[in-house]
Amino acid sequence: QQIYGRTKLACEELVAERGGTSLRLGLVHGSGDGGMIGALRKVAGLPLVPVLRPDSYQYAVHAEDMARCVLETVEQSPPHRVLGVADPCRVPFSDIIRTLRASATAAPLRPVPVSSALLYRALRGAEAAGLRIGFRADSLLGLMHPAPDVPHVNYWAEQGILLRGFAQHAPC
């Protein structure tokens, strides 16, 4: 549903048409404060943290594991056209925020339920006004509508690559 996601799917199609393999990454963590994890770390550090949907989740991958998968793909040319690169266990979004919060501050987490539709409109309005607040409306769609699964995730274990889950999250 998001522009970013539709663009990624279109790129996957182009790569597959040319006989290549695309890697579909989960939420990359363990590499600093860049990308989505960096944006979420900022949100988790707010005095009041917006909570969108209690059933929301993400699939995650540690940056080092992701790098090993990239190298394996370049060196081996896997048989699959799209390979998911993420631990197959869903991580509740609340666990992600709680973990990021704990690494940023000792202050207790103060979640505030917020309508995702309302927050999306507010972010779109800020973007239309030219304001850069560090989080895009399109990114919110990716959090509200996560992937249903990780495609061909067993491939990595067959290659001897174990994908770590997110921080202290319990195994599934």
Side-chain angles (χ1 to χ4, degrees):
Q1 296 186 6
Q2 67 183 135
I3 297 167
Y4 177 73
R6 289 194 312 259
T7 302
K8 284 181 9 180
L9 292 175
C11 289
E12 287 177 1
E13 276 186 43
L14 291 172
V15 169
E17 287 171 5
R18 287 158 179 78
T21 299
S22 295
L23 299 180
R24 193 176 291 171
L25 307 178
L27 177 66
V28 179
H29 63 94
S31 64
D33 287 332
M36 178 59 79
I37 201 76
L40 292 176
R41 188 177 307 278
K42 289 176 186 171
V43 170
L46 294 172
L48 300 174
V49 179
V51 176
L52 303 174
R53 292 176 47 182
D55 62 339
S56 188
Y57 62 89
Q58 289 291 305
Y59 292 101
V61 62
H62 193 279
E64 292 173 9
D65 299 341
M66 180 215 42
R68 288 201 329 263
C69 292
V70 170
L71 289 174
E72 175 73 19
T73 302
V74 170
E75 293 171 354
Q76 300 300 323
S77 188
H80 305 290
R81 293 297 165 228
V82 176
L83 283 169
V85 181
D87 179 70
C89 297
R90 292 178 174 185
V91 182
F93 189 70
S94 59
D95 287 3
I96 294 169
I97 293 297
R98 201 173 291 112
T99 300
L100 295 174
R101 174 76 174 199
S103 71
T105 179
L109 179 66
R110 292 198 173 109
V112 177
V114 176
S115 160
S116 54
L118 180 62
L119 184 55
Y120 177 79
R121 286 188 202 106
L123 290 170
R124 293 285 294 160
E127 290 168 1
L131 301 174
R132 293 183 178 216
I133 58 173
F135 204 90
R136 295 176 311 116
D138 195 53
S139 297
L140 180 66
L141 289 178
L143 295 174
M144 292 175 1
H145 305 285
D149 58 22
V150 181
H152 304 291
V153 71
N154 292 333
Y155 173 80
W156 303 115
E158 293 165 5
Q159 305 309 309
I161 299 174
L162 299 177
L163 302 175
R164 287 173 271 181
F166 183 78
Q168 303 300 323
H169 181 66
C172 57

